[in-house]
Every structure is written in structure tokens, then in C-alpha cells.
Amino acid sequence: TSNRSEIFEEFRSISKRYSATLLDYSDWEHSFNKEYFQNSQHLNVLGARAFSENLARRLRSDHFKTD
């Protein structure tokens, strides 16, 4: 999209307003690997597994712990 930077700036603004963490996967290591995608927007099984494992690691990280 031609207004991608504007969209992400709005995401950052909302994130800041609500003290929410914004997870940006734009530069995910597999973002441009067609082997992980069903089409240009949707992950296939391999991609979904890799994404889910990465997300789970991030959610388990100290950044998200509340105790």
C-alpha cells in the first residue's frame, strides 16, 4: 500500500494511547519467503507454524510477563 507508513503511525499512536504493545511482523525473517505463504497475504501451514512458534516465544519473553 502507498500509505503504509501512515497506517503504522496510526497503529503506534493507538498502541501508545492504550499502553499496548505493537508487534510488527513486517520484517519477520520469513516475510518474503514464498515457501511460507499460500498467497501474497496468507500463510500456509508451514508459515503458520513458524509464525505461531515465533509469536509464542515473544509472548513468553520477559517483556510480556506480569508477575
Side-chain angles (χ1 to χ4, degrees), residues 11-47:
F11 289 162
R12 283 189 275 287
S13 173
I14 293 168
S15 173
K16 185 176 180 179
R17 184 179 328 137
Y18 294 101
S19 300
T21 301
L22 175 63
L23 299 177
D24 182 359
Y25 273 84
S26 301
D27 60 354
W28 181 47
E29 63 185 304
H30 301 299
S31 290
F32 299 100
N33 185 340
K34 291 182 180 183
E35 184 178 330
Y36 288 80
F37 286 83
Q38 181 69 29
N39 57 41
S40 65
Q41 299 295 312
H42 298 93
L43 295 166
N44 60 23
V45 172
L46 181 65

